Amino acid sequence: MLDHWIEQARFGRLDLPYKAGWRASRAFLQYRRAGGTRLTPLPDFYIGAHAEVDNLTLVTRDAARVATYFPQVTLIAP
């Protein structure tokens, strides 16, 4: 399991807020209406929604896509 490899002193795990689940569903619907082909929500939608509702900064290598669905999220793109 991933928890075994993550140093707990540096990283914490947060539960997905209820509001983030709803926000992820709205972003996924936007994705599908724009021609997205996946039939189930991608983890990125849950991650982006969680960052949005809890006002978290998100580190990503795909800043353009995240910003498309979650423009309010502050991004760090290395």
Side-chain angles (χ1 to χ4, degrees), residues 19-77:
K19 285 173 42 175
W22 174 254
R23 182 62 187 93
S25 74
R26 302 288 82 197
F28 183 70
L29 181 61
Q30 179 184 352
Y31 160 81
R32 291 285 293 157
R33 287 182 174 162
T37 59
R38 298 274 181 124
L39 299 178
T40 58
L42 303 170
D44 292 350
F45 288 110
Y46 293 110
I47 294 166
H50 190 169
E52 181 179 285
V53 302
D54 279 354
N55 197 32
L56 303 171
T57 298
L58 183 61
V59 177
T60 181
R61 291 180 56 192
D62 194 0
R65 186 165 58 112
V66 174
T68 297
Y69 298 103
F70 304 100
Q72 312 84 303
V73 173
T74 302
L75 300 175
I76 297 173

